[in-house]
Amino acid sequence: MAEERFVEHTRDGDIHILRIANPPVNTLRTGVRAGLQEGIAAALREGARAIVLIGDGRMFSAGAEMTEFNKPRQPPSLPEVFDAIETSKVPVVAAIHGSALGGGLELALACHARVAAPTAQVGLPEVKRGFVPGAGGTQRLPRLIGGEAALKIIVPGEPVPAAEALRLGIIDAVLEGPLEGAAVAWARENAGRSFTLARKREDRIKGADLAAFDALAASLLKRSRGQESPKGCAAAVRAALTHSFEDGLNVERETFQKLVAGEQSLALRHIFFGEREASRIPGMPADTQPLPVKKAVVIGAGTMGGGIAMCFANFGIPVTVVEQNAEALERGLKKCEANWERTVKSGRLSAEDYAKRRAMLSGTTDWNAVAEADLVIEAVFEEMGVKKEVFAKLDKLARPGVVLASNTSTLDIDQIASATQRPELVLGMHFFSPANVMRLLEIVRGSATSHEAIATAMDVGKRIGKVNVVVGNCDGFVGNRMTGKRFPQMERLLLEGALPQDIDRAMEAYGMAMGPCATGDLAGLDIGAAVRKARGQVAPIADAIVAAGRYGQKTGKGWYVYDEKRQRHPDPEVERIILETAEKMQVRRRKIEDAEILERLLLPMVNEGARILEEGIAVRAVDIDVIFTSGFGWPAWRGGPMFWADRMGLKAVRDKLAHYAEVTGDPNLKPAALIETLADQGGSFAAMGAKRAA
Ligand code: NAI
């Protein structure tokens, strides 16, 4: 069957218009590429004076169709389409609105000229999917704007707004008014001009200062420890400065092919699609509408309440924090201000935008403010009694129909909901610290929570820039429940031979933003100790550390000792405590390899993740991975814990779990039933279907 075409060809006098119509984001699937190639040929046959390429709907084009990556490629390839453009006798003008990203921008770069709407943005985000631009982006962009400017765009992969793109020379004009008409007029006016194709330009790369380029590359690459694609991007851009266009394209192509087939790109694409997948909630009727939220109220202006309020203010949603007394309120608001001021000082926020954000935030000790809320988020002390009291009060004060959310990190949402007359509108909105920075939002569904309430939380989460994952109601929900399970192995590893710095080194070498010991010091070791005590659990080493007054960063020492700059250093006292405890317990210490440390800390999490899937607490395995990459400093290029397990193979995972369960006597490591089943069937977490978050 002939492949369908997704390009519309219209004419405005002798200016021909090719409109890419592959909703929603105009990816350059086969039918688009073929349509463009044929459209250009037809326009030339019909005597066009100029050709305008434009996108239908939301944007110009979001780039290549990544789902085609795993299939045999159908002709024409993008370079073949570009060839048709570059050999055209009449100018081809890309008219960009919305976004031109990845292959979308590469298409535009192959054109004779580029014009854009003022709100458009362009970029090459390939690095974030684990590869490099693969259709000439690394060769044409430096020829247009210079090597260093191109490096600053391609290595971080962040989009560039139209005005900046114009200043740099990526685009030729920013056009006001409806874009198609303006672009046609521009093309008509400029059709007689002689354009130099990007591939032919030499002026911006000739005599480039390679030492300066390399220094810039080194400083940009510092931010992406362990990740391959930024290095590939830098090398490909460098080739534009040292090679001919054709040879540079070959360097780019080889780098692309190597990276796209690699493990890191697989992981990054798994997370990219996973974040989108996570917004699909099984069982939610398609016509579910979120309730409108124009104003939010946050209860409690502590660590979390303040950060949550900032999220709303940052995205232009008016928010009021309610505190129990004037001092706590002032302290909370001051902290928000100090946070914003730091961002202004670092140059990442203008004074004007700070003023706008600050104006969105207000505070009060008067609970009547709750009556104005379209959404209430509670972030008071983590105690069921307090939460219930607060929710009973909120239920009376909030308008009927308003969603009441709790930021609790462990407590039972159903019990909290039982304090109200509207359990269907009660749910968890679990932010992660610092709430204004971390992208993850666990949306916790209680047994009575309605679809509408979930849709409302998801809509709000999206508006404030969060990655939403809907989870079921259980102790610790998904992320904290899983990380909690690695603790017994951490204690065992310390006893058997590792030191805190060994554990953190192994985890950080894997790519984690921070190892578990350093993380514990940041959160406060006394908190975990209190939880253990309440549960009647003992951890001889961790308990001895806390008993020595080492609560973590807040006391200047914990697993480490901290200097005035809050830099951590290994502490001989910790080693002494560990050695003494091991001796007392008659454990013979040995050298433990990093690979063993990694396995013993990740396997218990995977095992718990499997139980979470069995119970339907998480809808699908990739949701768990998204939780870790957006809320727990797990690098996206590693793909998350369930991805890690799938890549190892569930049979190996089962065998290793069983082995460690036996040698360490940790009952928690007994392979979960789901792992047993999948291992027997040769299955994987990724291949399982979605379940409702219970
Ligand atoms: P916090 O102690 O910093 O702040 C709690 C604030 O609530 C205090 O300012 C307090 O004055 C206020 N408050 C207490 N009772 C109140 C009442 N009846 N009315 C109005 N205000 C009241 O605590 P934090 O860390 O902000 O935690 C708040 C909630 O967020 C807890 O449920 C916690 O489990 C959860 N959470 C904490 C995270 C963290 O990393 N700290 C992460 C995610 C959730």
Side-chain angles (χ1 to χ4, degrees):
M1 200 177 76
E3 176 84 29
E4 208 182 327
R5 296 292 179 260
F6 299 92
V7 175
E8 296 159 8
H9 186 168
T10 56
R11 294 138 191 94
D12 184 327
D14 51 7
I15 308 298
H16 285 229
I17 301 144
L18 298 178
R19 194 178 300 102
I20 305 172
N22 175 28
V25 295
N26 293 331
T27 57
L28 303 171
R29 59 188 288 182
T30 306
V32 170
R33 299 194 304 273
L36 285 171
Q37 195 186 38
E38 290 162 11
I40 287 162
L44 292 176
R45 257 196 329 269
E46 293 173 26
R49 261 189 84 217
I51 301 166
V52 170
L53 295 190
I54 196 162
D56 198 29
R58 268 164 48 191
M59 61 174 72
F60 182 73
S61 167
E65 177 59 59
M66 282 198 286
T67 56
E68 286 183 357
F69 280 17
N70 310 325
K71 302 176 193 156
R73 295 293 194 97
Q74 301 297 323
S77 67
L78 266 186
E80 282 163 343
V81 176
F82 296 178
D83 201 43
I85 293 172
E86 290 179 324
T87 54
S88 158
K89 288 186 297 297
V90 304
V92 182
V93 178
I96 301 167
H97 77 292
S99 308
L101 298 175
L105 177 58
E106 291 179 298
L107 169 63
L109 292 176
C111 292
H112 298 76
R114 290 148 292 282
V115 298
T119 50
Q121 52 170 10
V122 302
L124 294 169
E126 284 85 346
V127 69
K128 296 185 181 181
R129 319 281 171 258
F131 43 89
V132 302
T138 64
Q139 304 306 301
R140 287 188 182 87
L141 192 61
R143 283 177 164 76
L144 279 183
I145 67 172
E148 289 176 49
L151 196 64
K152 282 192 217 160
I153 292 173
I154 296 175
V155 170
E158 294 300 331
V160 180
E164 174 74 356
L166 178 66
R167 193 185 66 73
L168 288 168
I170 304 175
I171 57 175
D172 299 275
V174 172
L175 305 178
E176 303 284 341
L179 184 65
E180 184 172 316
V184 166
W186 192 92
R188 181 164 286 130
E189 205 173 300
N190 290 282
R193 246 172 76 183
S194 94
F195 291 94
T196 310
L197 289 166
R199 63 183 294 157
K200 296 261 160 69
R201 290 267 302 269
E202 290 288 331
D203 51 306
R204 304 302 293 268
I205 53 169
K206 221 189 220 149
D209 180 347
L210 283 177
F213 179 92
D214 290 342
L216 175 65
S219 93
L220 289 171
L221 292 175
K222 254 194 238 145
R223 293 176 214 159
S224 50
R225 186 172 52 96
Q227 199 181 334
E228 289 163 5
S229 57
K231 281 186 230 141
C233 286
V237 175
R238 195 178 197 279
L241 309 180
T242 54
H243 290 52
S244 69
F245 182 74
E246 287 302 336
D247 289 346
L249 277 186
N250 287 335
V251 171
E252 180 193 87
R253 193 166 310 128
E254 277 165 26
T255 315
F256 173 84
Q257 277 162 357
K258 187 176 93 210
L259 290 175
V260 88
E263 195 71 14
Q264 292 193 3
S265 178
L266 202 62
L268 282 161
R269 284 180 280 149
H270 167 74
I271 295 300
F272 176 78
F273 287 117
E275 286 186 5
R276 277 145 193 82
E277 188 72 17
S279 62
R280 279 187 275 279
I281 310 304
M284 183 182 284
D287 58 355
T288 310
Q289 289 298 322
L291 301 164
V293 174
K294 295 208 185 77
K295 180 163 177 47
V297 162
V298 174
I299 312 295
T303 311
M304 293 307 287
I308 295 168
M310 285 178 76
C311 295
F312 284 88
N314 287 348
F315 286 86
I317 304 173
V319 57
T320 302
V321 285
V322 177
E323 257 293 350
Q324 42 189 2
N325 58 56
E327 296 77 61
L329 178 62
E330 192 180 317
R331 214 180 317 124
L333 292 176
K334 280 245 158 70
K335 234 174 141 186
C336 297
E337 287 168 357
N339 245 318
W340 274 317
E341 278 157 17
R342 253 201 316 277
T343 321
V344 172
K345 255 195 207 128
S346 75
R348 282 175 293 135
L349 180 69
S350 70
E352 195 191 340
D353 284 339
Y354 168 34
K356 272 194 209 150
R357 292 177 183 196
R358 181 62 188 85
M360 288 288 146
L361 170 66
S362 58
T364 179
T365 52
D366 179 1
W367 281 74
N368 289 312
V370 169
E372 293 161 30
D374 301 317
L375 168 71
V376 183
I377 302 178
E378 163 280 314
V380 303
F381 302 134
E382 185 78 341
E383 266 180 53
M384 187 52 90
V386 182
K387 301 271 191 205
K388 279 182 139 172
E389 206 176 290
V390 167
F391 269 76
K393 206 155 148 188
L394 291 177
D395 192 35
K396 291 207 178 71
L397 291 170
R399 288 196 320 273
V402 163
V403 170
L404 307 178
S406 172
N407 181 51
T408 178
S409 33
T410 50
L411 301 174
D412 178 0
I413 295 295
D414 290 339
Q415 257 199 69
I416 295 176
S418 73
T420 74
Q421 303 297 314
R422 59 177 101 187
E424 72 285 359
L425 292 174
V426 176
L427 45 67
M429 284 178 78
H430 184 206
F431 291 77
F432 289 75
S433 183
N436 54 314
V437 177
M438 298 305 279
R439 290 166 69 227
L440 176 62
L441 179 62
E442 279 186 343
I443 296 172
V444 188
R445 189 201 285 272
S447 57
T449 310
S450 67
H451 290 306
E452 211 172 31
I454 295 282
T456 305
M458 290 183 70
D459 178 57
V460 166
K462 198 169 169 200
R463 282 167 62 202
I464 61 174
K466 298 298 176 197
V467 174
N468 298 318
V469 183
V470 176
V471 301
N473 182 22
C474 66
D475 189 4
F477 314 121
V478 173
N480 288 337
R481 176 171 156 185
M482 282 171 65
T483 41
K485 295 295 178 195
R486 71 186 176 189
F487 183 76
Q489 282 302 313
M490 193 172 123
E491 177 79 18
R492 291 280 325 183
L493 285 164
L494 290 169
L495 208 53
E496 290 171 28
L499 292 172
Q501 52 271 30
D502 300 323
I503 290 185
D504 284 353
R505 185 195 55 247
M507 298 297 270
E508 288 164 12
Y510 178 75
M512 306 299 179
M514 198 186 256
C517 298
T519 308
D521 278 356
L522 190 63
L525 302 181
D526 51 327
I527 298 175
V531 172
R532 284 196 297 279
K533 200 165 166 201
R535 293 181 179 165
Q537 295 163 343
V538 286
I541 292 179
D543 291 344
I545 295 285
V546 172
R550 310 182 67 105
Y551 294 176
Q553 286 202 22
K554 60 184 158 191
T555 55
K557 50 188 189 166
W559 291 116
Y560 297 96
V561 61
Y562 291 84
D563 62 23
E564 4 15 279
K565 286 190 197 143
R566 292 195 171 195
Q567 294 286 332
R568 68 188 201 214
H569 302 280
D571 191 344
E573 192 194 331
V574 171
E575 187 168 351
R576 187 182 54 75
I577 293 174
I578 292 172
L579 295 183
E580 275 177 16
T581 313
E583 201 175 297
K584 225 183 287 163
M585 297 178 66
Q586 298 179 336
V587 177
R588 252 189 66 199
R589 289 173 61 82
R590 64 184 167 93
K591 177 167 169 31
I592 303 180
E593 298 298 333
D594 285 5
E596 181 180 339
I597 294 177
L598 188 74
E599 273 184 1
R600 286 177 62 181
L601 293 182
L602 299 195
L603 285 167
M605 292 171 63
V606 169
N607 210 23
E608 195 64 13
R611 294 190 189 111
I612 280 171
L613 287 172
E614 282 167 16
E615 294 165 26
I617 294 291
V619 169
R620 43 205 149 215
V622 70
D623 287 14
I624 298 178
D625 289 335
V626 167
I627 283 174
F628 279 88
T629 54
S630 58
F632 287 82
W634 194 300
W637 52 268
R638 287 290 196 184
M642 309 314 271
F643 180 85
W644 176 80
D646 269 351
R647 298 305 289 170
M648 179 185 284
L650 294 188
K651 206 174 155 316
V653 167
R654 179 204 33 211
D655 296 347
K656 281 176 195 275
L657 275 166
H659 166 75
Y660 287 125
E662 197 184 316
V663 298
T664 69
D666 182 351
N668 207 27
L669 291 185
K670 182 177 172 310
L674 177 65
I675 292 182
E676 293 281 9
T677 313
L678 290 174
D680 285 344
Q681 296 168 347
S684 68
F685 290 129
M688 289 171 53
K691 258 192 185 178
R692 184 180 192 272

